[in-house]
Amino acid sequence: MRYAETGYYLEVDLSRGSVEKVQSDPKLTEMYLGGLGTNAKLIWDRVPPEVDPFSPDNILIFSAGLLCGSSAPGSNRTIISSISPQTRYMAFSMMGGFWAPELKYAGYDKVIVKGRAPDLVYLWINNDKVEIRDASHLRGKSTYDTIHAIRRELNEPHAEALAIGLAGENQVYFASIETESSSASRKGLGAVMGSKNLKAIAVRGTKDLYLAKPLEFMEECNKVMDYIQFRLANPIEGVPAILAFIGSPQEMMLHDEKWHTMSFAWGNARVRRMDFWNEKIEKEWTETLENARKKLVGCYNCPVKCHGIIQLPGFPSYVMKCFSKLTYVMGAMADDLDFGLKIASIAQSYGVDGYSTPQVMAFAVELYEAGILTDQDLPNFPKDNRERFYYLLDMIVKREGIGDVLAKGVYWAAKEIGKGAEKFDHNTIKKHEQIPIKLGMLNPMYYLMWSTGEKVNITQIEGQIPQAPLPKDYREKFVQDWIQVPTGKEERFKRFILEWGDEGKQFPFWPEPELLCELVEWQEIMHYIDDCLGLCAGLSSFPLKPPYHIHNLPRLVSYATGMDVTEEGLWEIATRVRTLVRANNNRRGLRRTEDKPPEDHWKKRFPEYEAKLMDTYYNYRGWNTEGIPKKETLLRFGMPEVYQDFVKRGILKEE
Amino acid sequence: MAKKTVKIIKVDLDKCHGCRACEVACAAYHAKPKYGAVNPARSRVRVYRDELKNVFVPVFGTFYTKSECAARHMYRINGNDQSAYDEDMSVCSFCGATCPSRDLFKEPDSGLPLKCDVCESDPPLEKPMCVKWCLADALIYEEREEEVEDQPEFDEVEVAIESLVDKFGMEKVLDGLARMSKSS
């Protein structure tokens, strides 16, 4: 009997129209847990670098995490993996909501889709009964309309569905995959889904998911629930309100947006507006949000309410999350939140990423103002920036005219447009649009995270360490009950918090690179664990002092699965997964040259010092100077097949 | 007339945000072994969710009935027509009955009815699991003294047998029981 996981994958070949239920290898669970870990292994085994993102040979994996569907609060993440059309590397986009647990109850850990359907289809998984159904009547329908139409035609009100909108169908490089409540947005996996002619997957499950040591597991879950309550009642002191809570940043609950609007850059990641936030704006924005937001809601089996139901007359209702509240407003240099809430409604109906999309549109506006895009490219282009954004959104999603080029994202569009457009592509990493942050002094810890993060998204790497030194009065209190710190690191990490910001204890040249690597490692490992287990980062790797940490997670994994996993063991598995994701990307061409932040991310840069930091990090990770895992590293993690492939392809020399 | 402690779970709809933690807690608590499995389809509380219309209604399994309602009922919430099942196909109120018109509150394997027992156990829980796990405080536990008429109570076994009789007929159930008692 398998515990925590169902032990089955659903293999779907859309070219042949075949569906197969296949038992998974329990050994892989021991090595990679599940979710992202086993996804990375499947991509390694099945998708060689010659395979194009939109090729039928590319696979698209919809995975539940190892703990999804268990009683662990917040274990609800769907981890979708494939090759990104934008970065051309392994992509793993994730979402919360209700879909992954339902998949587990239907009896599967993953749905692995390959091939391409001859015409638009959707997948209906009802426990053991699986059908590939015609979706031609859903063509062009919005994400939400699709989900509702499917529930209605199946007469299954309890079915959970994910779907692409028009953007995914049209293979926009930053198309998302949406459920009613959540979005897997980054890296254009909606476009991959569209390339397979797969409009949606609906699932309904009524089977048991077993846990190996029930009483012990439940006791841990109850403790997590207690700590969630404690943290909700005790926000961290000494940090901005937006960073003080757990969950994703509570932007649907809080009205104070001073921190985001002042620290982040507006337009095409160009200007910081230090005087933007004032009483008048705060009053207007509070009213706007209070009127539009009907309720704070959240995901499956999680008490934290990070989402807001937004209802605006004349616009489709939707669920907004986190920073997407501001991305369109700031991208368009618009001052009214109302615009941001409205265009996000259209954008989510189309199914596009709320991070990349406004960046691409702000880029297009700049090109127009610089005369690189003309009235010929953008006929009747409105004067008002907000109207321009609506105009561009439509054009991109429908791939009309220049919209067809912009639909490939800033990097590829700049190349194709030429005429100096490349100079306006200043905020991408590995060809992927980044959060618009432009700062002064190099932050060495963030330098490493921005540069080497395989997710190419800083929020998916950071979390355990405050973003700036704590005010002196708060430091002692912060470290007092900092139970999350890994064993053996307590003294060093606490000292870092206590000293950081003092005279001579400031970035960029303090602390020593080795300690920086350890801090970075801790933060990224926690994310990798979450992504394997399907735990929400909002309760775990992303906020300060989270309910899940390296001390209780090994117990949860052990009690759920029946395996015997220690703190060191879990750390090792997460490092193995991190290494394998890296190897997937190395095999697709990733080298040191691409491990870098946008050039203007910080005004003050130190090339020699940065090179030293990078060398230290690579060495710490067991990689060579090109950022490729060495033979000894690959063998230590039990992945000789990766080493052999690297040798065969000339990526590593035979030793 | 006699005095009786009545256990009540009050539902504050304004606070429910549809996370279904109550379903998880209930299903886990009633699993055998206790907490050994999670399957919301076995839960004795189900949350009706229509997220984009902002409707979240926890419904508790109440009683078994072999007949459908003579008339169905539809509720209007926030200006939208809502039923606990499917707005188009099977208009059905937020009722906790195990009945032939839908698959709510039926064991997924056997079809036997599922009824909230307020987590009766020995020693008793401080409050039912669903209430404990509802950090939104949408579920509120209360005990009240009420005057009740004396009447015999169906225990769980009788309810189950009655539903089996309705499903298969008295003869088949008796035959089945006879066969089972022979073989054991």
Side-chain angles (χ1 to χ4, degrees), chain A residues 262-280:
Chain A
M262 280 176 51
S263 330
F264 289 26
W266 293 61
N268 182 25
R270 291 294 181 190
V271 283
R272 285 176 70 180
R273 298 171 69 185
M274 306 301 280
D275 55 354
F276 173 75
W277 196 251
N278 57 38
E279 260 176 48
K280 183 172 162 279

Side-chain angles (χ1 to χ4, degrees), chain A residues 610-653:
Chain A
E610 287 170 18
K612 187 179 157 202
L613 284 173
M614 194 61 76
D615 284 334
T616 314
Y617 177 84
Y618 282 174
N619 192 43
Y620 188 83
R621 277 268 165 255
W623 302 349
N624 68 19
T625 51
E626 273 302 312
I628 300 163
K630 293 181 199 167
K631 176 185 181 184
E632 62 196 55
T633 309
L634 294 168
L635 297 187
R636 182 159 69 88
F637 289 118
M639 301 188 289
E641 74 278 13
V642 176
Y643 169 66
Q644 283 145 19
D645 190 79
F646 275 180
V647 170
K648 202 177 81 193
R649 293 178 188 277
I651 296 168
L652 284 180
K653 284 208 181 88

Side-chain angles (χ1 to χ4, degrees), chain B residues 76-90:
Chain B
R76 182 153 266 257
I77 304 174
N78 298 333
N80 295 299
D81 286 338
Q82 295 287 346
S83 81
Y85 207 59
D86 187 341
E87 54 190 279
D88 293 335
M89 304 302 292
S90 171

Side-chain angles (χ1 to χ4, degrees), chain A residues 59-260:
Chain A
I59 60 172
L60 181 61
I61 312 170
F62 299 85
S63 182
L66 183 60
L67 292 184
C68 282
S70 78
S71 25
S75 55
N76 53 42
R77 305 282 283 177
T78 306
I79 300 100
I80 308 177
S81 305
S82 189
I83 303 300
S84 162
Q86 204 179 29
T87 65
R88 314 259 154 174
Y89 296 133
M90 180 182 161
F92 43 113
S93 203
M94 291 164 292
M95 63 181 171
F98 295 78
W99 195 87
E102 199 70 25
L103 183 71
K104 295 283 278 277
Y105 302 137
Y108 312 96
D109 300 315
K110 295 181 199 295
V111 180
I112 306 167
V113 180
K114 72 167 182 179
R116 175 185 293 138
D119 203 358
L120 198 64
V121 296
Y122 75 91
L123 201 60
W124 165 226
I125 304 166
N126 186 4
N127 291 321
D128 287 326
K129 205 176 102 194
V130 182
E131 296 171 15
I132 300 171
R133 296 174 65 112
D134 175 46
S136 50
H137 59 301
L138 302 172
R139 188 181 303 283
K141 266 203 194 311
S142 82
T143 49
Y144 308 123
D145 289 349
T146 301
I147 291 165
H148 291 147
I150 287 174
R151 276 192 192 139
R152 207 161 294 142
E153 72 183 47
L154 297 171
N155 192 20
E156 285 283 353
H158 297 292
E160 295 296 339
L162 51 79
I164 52 169
L166 188 57
E169 286 178 42
N170 287 345
Q171 300 176 23
V172 172
Y173 281 21
F174 39 92
S176 61
I177 298 169
E178 304 269 340
T179 68
E180 269 180 314
S181 65
S182 303
S183 323
S185 292
R186 303 293 276 158
K187 318 254 184 51
L189 297 188
V192 177
M193 196 162 156
S195 78
K196 304 210 167 295
N197 263 330
L198 179 61
K199 179 71 177 170
I201 305 180
V203 55
R204 168 106 167 96
T206 58
K207 298 188 189 184
D208 294 349
L209 183 74
Y210 303 107
L211 298 162
K213 294 189 176 154
L215 290 172
E216 292 89 338
F217 187 75
M218 198 58 177
E219 199 189 324
E220 288 296 330
C221 293
N222 279 322
K223 284 191 211 158
V224 168
M225 276 294 210
D226 290 344
Y227 196 83
I228 290 172
Q229 277 172 293
F230 165 77
R231 275 293 276 107
L232 289 173
N234 294 281
I236 307 276
E237 294 171 24
V239 299
I242 210 88
L243 305 175
F245 289 90
I246 51 172
S248 67
Q250 293 298 320
E251 297 194 66
M252 290 295 106
M253 172 178 81
L254 299 169
H255 295 296
D256 180 357
E257 288 291 0
K258 185 175 175 181
W259 186 75
H260 273 128

Side-chain angles (χ1 to χ4, degrees), chain A residues 24 52 127 195 243 259 287 290 313 358 472 498 503 508 615 642:
Chain A
S24 66
D52 236 36
N127 291 321
S195 78
L243 305 175
W259 186 75
E287 258 168 46
E290 290 285 340
K472 235 176 161 45
L498 291 173
E503 188 68 38
D615 284 334
V642 176

Side-chain angles (χ1 to χ4, degrees), chain A residues 12 46 118 121 135 177 206 293 310 340 402 444 462 469 504 575 603 622-623:
Chain A
V12 180
R46 300 193 193 181
V121 296
I177 298 169
T206 58
R293 187 199 63 207
I310 305 288
I402 196 73
E462 63 184 352
T575 312
K603 256 200 200 94
W623 302 349

